[in-house]
Amino acid sequence: MGSEMCIRDRPAPSSREPARARARQAVCEVVASACAGPAALLRAFEAFAPLAALDESDFLRALDEGAPAAAARCAARARDGGGAGRSDEECSSSSSSEGESDDATRSDDEGSAGSDGGARVASVPVERALFAACTPWRGRSGATVAELHARAVALDALGARARTLAVADVSAGLLLVRTARARDALASRADRLCDAVCGLVSKRLASRALRLSAQFASLHATLTQDAPDAEAVAAMGAQLDTYPETVIALEARVGADVLDNVALLDGVRRALSDEALVAVVALSRWPERLAAAHDDAALRLERARARAKAELVDERLAFADELDAAQAEFSASIARLGGAECNIDETAPVALAFAARVADARARARVIASRESIFGWAQTDWGRLDELSAALEPFAAMWHAANEFAKAYPVWFDGPLLNVSAALVEEGVVACEREMARATTALAGCAPPLRVVDELNKRLGETRAVLPLIGALLNPGMRERHWSALTAAAGVIRAPSAMATLRALVDAGLLDHLPLIEEVSLVASKEHALERALDKMVSEWAGVAFALAEHRASGIAMLAQLEPVQASARRAARRLSLIHI
């Protein structure tokens, strides 16, 4: 180009110059004409280098799934041999640097005219914004729909620019350069990328349309549900009250997420995919269906409200009758549940069932009050229920403790003694005694229930009397020598067998020898503690290593590193000093 400008700026030789000078100028003009066409042609096509060098699969995958997914896919392809010649860096890096050509090499006023009527080949000014569409997506997640639209528009415009390249053949001396095929290839690639990006847009639009349709369907299902009770009537009423705002918000999302994007696709002359079209058409039908469901729901709500009010009136009347019957039953049952013929094992479940009925009645009273507030009615006063609950409370606590004790008593006395835990027996006895003391205070002056308390206190006394025997017989420190000593001293004491029961041992007279059994059991406990301490010391000393070292090159070995050994010995001495037999 520089030589061309130098030749053209040179003044034409006068007619008086020699023939050799005129011939030299003619040769220079022919050479400049031959070079001007290819140079301009190369500059024009060089501007489309980012489009030509773009890897379509990686470009689209990055837009859809994010740059890390595209790089991983490219690396896997390279490991499998399908990406020979491309490293992992090349897969994850952008080819945008190829599109960032120096603006100085893209002058908008480039071009030259060849001699002999050669066509002028003008370079195409291409905006940097268009080639930004060819830069790979670097986000960790896929591009947004707005970004995809922007790239589709830019790629469409890039394809149109490619078609404006000069298609006339360029003569370069004896060569004829045909540009039509290169131009068509660039335009075809731009169109193909634009179609693929629009396909991603359609995919996103289909997903959003399906999500919005699901929200419309959920709202429609709510509107078409029946209202069988007052709570459902209140929920349906609240749904109808918020219906206008909900629908307006959903329709706004339809416009922003779907319809506006469909219009943008129309701007680049691309149609939705079949899947997206079906989803959008299905979405467009929901507003009309919701309007019909809303009108029907309003009518059903009025009918359901009237029915729920009538049911609430009937429920209040029936509940009042049930309370009257419960009060009468409670008054009559006080004497019956504590009479002389009362059997605790049989009566406790009956009394607890009655307490459960009262608890259910309190729950029903709360439901009735809630439904009255739904309809704006005055709250019914269920004072009788509060009085009944307060009167029943000490009886319920007493019978609950009696029931728990009645279930545990046969297990302790008639079950295998080896399965009984002395600690659990004592815990159960203490808990029941505490409840009986409360019942005695709360039921003062009520003779029938106090007879139940007296009966339970009698059983508790029997159980507490045998607690020392249970602890002594189940002492883990008792060994065969201890049982032999007891047998030699009393003659009737044997180690409990697997089938032995506490009642059988009491009937055998072991309570008469309780002082002797407790004395031997105490000795066994101390010996057991000593055994455990000795076992622990043995296990500690088992891991102590004695190191030997030669004493001053004398060939005599001596103990070394005695500090750990001495510390273990001091701990053992302190532990033994705390054990008294």
Side-chain angles (χ1 to χ4, degrees):
M1 185 174 181
S3 62
E4 173 189 356
M5 296 304 296
C6 292
I7 293 173
R8 292 183 178 181
D9 293 342
R10 184 178 299 172
S14 64
S15 58
R16 293 174 296 178
E17 286 185 77
R20 180 176 297 178
R22 290 195 299 273
R24 184 168 54 251
Q25 181 177 356
V27 170
C28 291
E29 289 179 353
V30 170
V31 172
S33 177
C35 294
L41 181 65
L42 289 176
R43 284 193 295 273
F45 276 98
E46 182 184 6
F48 288 87
L51 177 63
L54 191 65
D55 187 293
E56 297 184 24
S57 61
D58 292 344
F59 174 76
L60 295 173
R61 178 170 289 275
L63 285 176
D64 188 22
E65 302 177 5
R73 178 66 175 268
C74 186
R77 190 170 62 246
R79 288 194 302 269
D80 295 340
R86 297 193 67 201
S87 65
D88 291 348
E89 286 187 4
E90 292 170 339
C91 290
S92 60
S93 65
S94 169
S95 61
S96 59
S97 58
E98 302 177 11
E100 296 177 356
S101 304
D102 188 6
D103 291 341
T105 64
R106 295 185 182 179
S107 174
D108 291 346
D109 194 21
E110 295 178 351
S112 61
S115 61
D116 299 331
R120 178 182 295 271
V121 181
S123 67
V124 180
V126 181
E127 292 85 351
R128 186 183 300 271
L130 293 184
F131 285 105
C134 299
T135 59
W137 179 253
R138 294 184 179 276
R140 299 196 63 83
S141 57
T144 62
V145 174
E147 175 65 21
L148 293 177
H149 276 304
R151 298 218 174 197
V153 172
L155 288 170
D156 185 67
L158 197 58
R161 286 300 181 92
R163 294 185 182 88
T164 63
L165 291 175
V167 297
D169 296 338
V170 177
S171 176
L174 299 178
L175 299 177
L176 183 63
V177 180
R178 300 185 182 275
T179 61
R181 180 174 297 178
R183 180 213 64 182
D184 294 342
L186 289 174
S188 176
R189 166 167 274 224
D191 292 342
R192 187 166 61 252
L193 286 174
C194 183
D195 291 340
V197 172
C198 289
L200 294 179
V201 174
S202 295
K203 177 182 175 182
R204 302 283 180 84
L205 293 184
S207 176
R208 293 188 176 186
L210 290 175
R211 285 200 299 269
L212 288 172
S213 292
Q215 295 181 20
F216 276 111
S218 176
L219 181 57
H220 183 271
T222 302
L223 293 176
T224 54
Q225 285 180 348
D226 292 331
D229 50 33
E231 289 77 13
V233 169
M236 181 179 288
Q239 187 68 52
L240 292 180
D241 291 340
T242 60
Y243 172 81
E245 293 81 1
T246 304
V247 171
I248 289 174
L250 286 176
E251 290 179 346
R253 289 191 58 188
V254 170
D257 295 349
V258 177
L259 299 183
D260 291 347
N261 293 319
V262 172
L264 289 174
L265 282 181
D266 293 339
V268 292
R269 302 175 303 282
R270 263 58 175 194
L272 288 171
S273 64
D274 292 343
E275 179 185 4
L277 181 61
V278 171
V280 171
V281 171
L283 178 62
S284 65
R285 295 173 179 170
W286 273 113
E288 183 178 355
R289 294 180 60 186
L290 279 181
H294 175 266
D295 296 339
D296 180 65
L299 296 176
R300 290 187 294 105
L301 177 61
E302 293 302 323
R303 293 194 296 267
R305 181 178 284 112
R307 183 179 65 251
K309 288 181 178 180
E311 291 175 353
L312 181 57
V313 171
D314 296 338
E315 185 177 8
R316 291 196 301 185
L317 294 175
F319 186 64
D321 294 339
E322 291 179 10
L323 282 184
D324 293 338
Q327 278 188 316
E329 183 178 352
F330 176 71
S331 300
S333 63
I334 291 178
R336 180 172 57 85
L337 295 180
E341 72 283 356
C342 175
N343 186 315
I344 295 178
D345 298 336
E346 297 177 357
T347 309
V350 177
L352 292 178
F354 184 80
R357 284 174 53 194
V358 175
D360 292 341
R362 294 183 64 84
R364 286 185 58 191
R366 288 192 294 269
V367 171
I368 292 175
S370 173
R371 292 177 177 177
E372 288 174 338
S373 64
I374 289 175
F375 298 127
W377 294 358
Q379 299 288 305
T380 303
D381 183 14
W382 303 110
R384 291 174 298 169
L385 179 59
D386 296 334
E387 295 173 0
L388 179 61
S389 299
L392 181 63
E393 183 177 357
F395 293 92
M398 179 195 70
W399 281 111
H400 177 75
N403 185 58
E404 294 297 321
F405 183 80
K407 291 189 296 184
Y409 186 82
V411 174
W412 297 338
F413 276 84
D414 300 322
L417 179 61
L418 297 181
N419 295 339
V420 176
S421 170
L424 293 180
V425 173
E426 185 174 6
E427 180 181 346
V429 170
V430 170
C432 191
E433 286 177 341
R434 186 186 307 116
E435 291 298 332
M436 292 304 103
R438 293 176 182 175
T440 301
T441 303
L443 301 175
C446 190
L450 289 179
R451 283 197 291 270
V452 177
V453 174
D454 294 340
E455 176 65 23
L456 281 174
N457 285 331
K458 179 180 178 182
R459 293 191 184 184
L460 288 171
E462 295 175 358
T463 307
R464 180 166 287 281
V466 299
L467 276 176
L469 180 63
I470 298 174
L473 294 177
L474 298 180
N475 186 350
M478 294 288 285
R479 299 289 186 267
E480 184 62 32
R481 62 180 181 273
H482 304 118
W483 295 111
S484 299
L486 287 174
T487 303
V492 295
I493 304 176
R494 300 287 187 276
S497 63
M499 299 304 296
T501 64
L502 180 61
R503 190 180 302 278
L505 295 177
V506 171
D507 294 341
L510 263 66
L511 283 177
D512 298 335
H513 304 283
L514 182 58
L516 175 62
I517 297 174
E518 288 183 322
E519 180 182 354
V520 175
S521 178
L522 179 61
V523 173
S525 297
K526 293 181 178 181
E527 293 177 352
H528 183 59
L530 179 59
E531 291 174 359
R532 292 172 56 190
L534 293 175
D535 291 341
K536 187 173 182 180
M537 284 189 288
V538 170
S539 62
E540 290 179 354
W541 281 95
V544 176
F546 292 89
L548 299 176
E550 186 179 1
H551 178 64
R552 297 181 181 179
S554 62
I556 299 174
M558 298 181 63
L559 291 175
Q561 300 178 358
L562 295 178
E563 290 79 4
V565 178
Q566 292 173 347
S568 297
R570 284 193 293 270
R571 286 195 301 269
R574 282 196 303 269
R575 188 175 294 112
L576 288 175
S577 65
L578 297 176
I579 299 175
H580 302 284
I581 300 179

